[in-house]
């Protein structure tokens, strides 16, 4: 095993309070990307 | 009065059926034909496969829901397509075979005005010799039944490790052309986490094996993503996670044969190698169902409807990788020969792969087939339903369009189960099929909309999706407000 994630990073990844805010942020960001719409790519239509 | 027949009740078939039923008056008939009596939320199979969820938590029976919502249901499988009818039946129909009850083995001609083929993939285990779920120490998590068996197999190995035995675990793709690397990725991280929970991690050697050229390809040519303040390649991100968790990896490998506890594979370099294991979970190749189609005079017209999967409004002209464009990808999922047939989700034939095709020195094609995850499956099914509703209401053009080249997707990969100890790798991609013309400097994707994140929040997100999508699928109050 090679430690590739620093202790600070790991703390951020596992701390429930920080992660709660992350959860809200990610939910909204994902909603914007996914519900942000889709469409065609062909110009002639 | 129109009759819409939907083949398949997976993510795309069920989404199409529910939206059609909600928006069409009861004068119109919506009928689902599917061999499985249950709806299953496939993404949560991962947790069934590590023993942290029971099958009952990820499925529900379709018949009572469909009865309540006035959606017709036949527990049967489509056998052949007859888009012009035949000498006896004037209307187009599909021939179905009942799979259960007193009608089992009986055939019926089910006529339609509009047909949605949402039959997804055939799990083609037979394309890899010896790859049989539950045999040769190899398992699958592609269905809830398979995932239950996988947990039994894994638990057996965990108990042996608790007795002091060392074990080798192999997880990844079981064929040179497999797709759905994401599911295997989730499973390997969940297994690793469970071994730590059972305090046997030090007894296990865990190895990833895949047909990807690089880690993190996921059948989508990898991606450049924003990760915190950095810009990172998906290969670097996954490498970081694997190294941190002590997971070894073998890439560029086409598994071609499984024997008891041995996976044989060929590499892109043309070498033939093998890997031993005590427990393996390998995703099979996905193929079309091998449906046949016939015209009114009973002539075989299969090539008008199928090229493995169903032909839709894609550009299927063979081209080299360098000439692939997002414009090749379909937008309405309508069959060009029979305009009242549509194929959303995994059922449509992709114009080509997304990842760069690669061939080994021996001429074996070793590179992932294009994945079509749950989100695009739902979105394409909904737009097909909306276009059919428009046609029924007199519109002449198909206004609802959704190309995978102009659509985002979120892949929330579980990296370990547990309300406080869980983890998830959240990745979003926009667009799914890279648009190298529009985004030339960022490997075909829009940064910002293509990002990655790792942490407990990812696990909560995945849990939220589990409950939200099952709520939606059960058509509970205001279900339609939850996006696909
Ligand atoms: C283990 C696993 C984990 C996954 N995790 C994720 C994830 O986290 N996020 C994500 O977005 N995607 C995920 N996916 C992918 C996602 O499950 C698929 O994209 C999605 O299920 C495709 O939907 P579909 O309706 O096209 O096909 P399916 O869900 O496969 O549905 C096909 C339906 O057709 C029926 N059928 C089959 N043959 C016939 C026939 N002859 N006649 C009539 N009906 C037939 C089947 O019974 C089924 O009901 C995962 C996949 C797997 C295997």
């Amino acid at each position: 095993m090679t430690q590739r994630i620093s202790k600070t990073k790991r703390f951020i990844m596992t701390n429930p309070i920080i992660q709660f805010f992350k959860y809200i942020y990610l939910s909204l960001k994902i909603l914007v990307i996914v519900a942000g719409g889709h469409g065609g790519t062909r110009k002639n239509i | 009065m129109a009759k819409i027949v939907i083949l398949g009740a997976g993510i795309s078939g069920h989404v199409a059926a529910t939206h059609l039923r909600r928006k069409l008056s009861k004068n119109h008939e919506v009928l689902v034909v599917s061999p499985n009596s249950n709806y299953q939320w496939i993404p949560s199979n991962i947790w069934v496969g590590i023993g942290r969820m029971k099958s009952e938590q990820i499925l529900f029976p379709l018949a009572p829901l469909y009865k309540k919502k006035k959606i017709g249901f036949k527990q049967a499988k489509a056998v052949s397509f007859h888009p012009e009818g035949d000498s006896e039946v004037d209307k187009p129909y599909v021939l179905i075979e009942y799979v259960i009850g007193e009608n089992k083995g009986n055939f019926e001609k089910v006529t339609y005005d509009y047909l949605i083929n949402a039959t997804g993939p055939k799990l083609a285990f037979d394309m890899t010799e010896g790859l049989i779920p539950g045999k040769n120490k190899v398992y699958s998590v592609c269905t809830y039944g398979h995932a239950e068996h996988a947990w039994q197999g894994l638990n057996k190995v965990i108990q042996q490790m608790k007795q002091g035995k060392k074990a080798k675990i192999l997880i990844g793709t079981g064929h040179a052309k497999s797709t759905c690397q994401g599911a295997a990725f989730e499973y390997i991280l969940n297994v690793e986490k469970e071994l730590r929970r059972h305090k046997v991690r030090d007894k296990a050697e865990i190895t990833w094996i895949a047909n990807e050229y690089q880690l993190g390809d996921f059948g989508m040519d990898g991606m450049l993503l924003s990760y915190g303040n950095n810009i990172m390649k998906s290969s670097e991100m996954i490498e970081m996670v694997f190294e941190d968790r002590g997971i070894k990896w073998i890439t560029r490998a086409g598994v071609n044969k499984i024997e008891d506890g041995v996976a044989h594979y060929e590499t892109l370099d043309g070498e033939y190698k093998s890997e031993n294991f005590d427990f393996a979970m390998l995703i099979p190749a996905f193929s079309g169902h091998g449906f046949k189609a016939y015209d009114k005079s009973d002539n075989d017209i299969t090539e008008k409807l199928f090229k493995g999967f169903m032909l839709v409004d894609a550009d299927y002209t063979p081209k080299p990788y360098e000439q692939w464009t997002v414009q090749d990808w379909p937008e309405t999922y309508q069959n060009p020969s029979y305009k009242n047939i549509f194929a959303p989700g995994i059922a449509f034939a992709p114009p080509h792969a997304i990842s760069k095709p690669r061939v080994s020195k021996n001429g074996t094609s070793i590179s992932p087939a294009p994945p079509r995850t749950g989100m695009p499956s739902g979105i394409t099914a909904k737009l097909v339903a909306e276009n059919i509703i428009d046609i029924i209401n007199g519109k002449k053009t198909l206004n609802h369009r959704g190309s995978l080249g102009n659509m985002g997707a979120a892949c929330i990969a579980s990296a370990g189960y547990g309300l406080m100890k869980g983890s998830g790798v959240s990745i979003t991609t926009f667009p799914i099929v890279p648009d190298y013309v529009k985004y030339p400097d960022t490997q075909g994707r829009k940064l910002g909309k293509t990002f990655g994140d790792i942490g407990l929040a990812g696990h909560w997100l995945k849990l939220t999706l589990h409950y939200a999508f099952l709520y939606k699928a059960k058509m509970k109050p205001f279900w339609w407000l939850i996006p696909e």
Side-chain angles (χ1 to χ4, degrees), chain A residues 1-6 9-10 12-45, chain B residues 201 227 239-240 243-246 313-314 326-331 375 379 383 401-403 405-407 410 412 420 426 428 448-449 451 453-457 460-461 464 483:
Chain A
M1 237 166 266
T2 316
Q3 191 184 333
R4 287 287 310 270
I5 298 171
S6 68
K9 258 265 155 75
R10 203 179 296 277
I12 294 171
M13 284 175 181
T14 52
N15 182 286
I17 298 165
I18 300 172
Q19 288 297 311
F20 175 73
F21 290 105
K22 202 53 173 285
Y23 171 75
I24 308 280
Y25 170 73
L26 285 175
S27 305
L28 293 174
K29 193 160 175 174
I30 289 169
L31 203 68
V32 169
I33 292 169
V34 175
H38 51 264
T41 57
R42 298 172 195 153
K43 284 204 181 71
N44 56 344
I45 293 163
Chain B
R201 178 64 185 92
Y227 178 68
E239 195 175 306
M240 177 181 84
E243 278 194 347
D244 196 68
R245 297 248 192 137
D313 61 320
V326 285
Q327 284 75 27
D328 301 338
W329 287 79
E331 302 187 343
M375 202 167 275
I379 292 173
L383 74 86
R401 289 170 184 272
S403 159
N406 188 5
M407 187 187 293
I412 315 299
M420 285 299 160
S426 314
T428 64
K449 280 190 169 188
F451 74 91
D453 193 86
I454 309 172
L456 177 58
W460 291 342
L461 270 175
T464 309

Side-chain angles (χ1 to χ4, degrees), chain B residues 326-387:
Chain B
V326 285
Q327 284 75 27
D328 301 338
W329 287 79
E331 302 187 343
T332 62
Y333 308 89
Q334 184 183 44
N335 178 260
S337 306
Y338 296 96
K339 304 280 183 195
N340 57 348
I341 302 183
F342 298 81
I346 297 186
F348 78 83
H352 41 66
I354 301 176
S355 294
K356 187 172 180 170
R358 296 175 203 265
V359 176
S360 80
K361 289 199 174 135
N362 311 313
T364 312
S365 173
I366 304 177
S367 51
R372 278 148 297 162
T373 57
M375 202 167 275
S377 297
I379 292 173
T380 54
K382 187 178 177 192
L383 74 86
V384 162
E386 285 172 328
N387 278 330

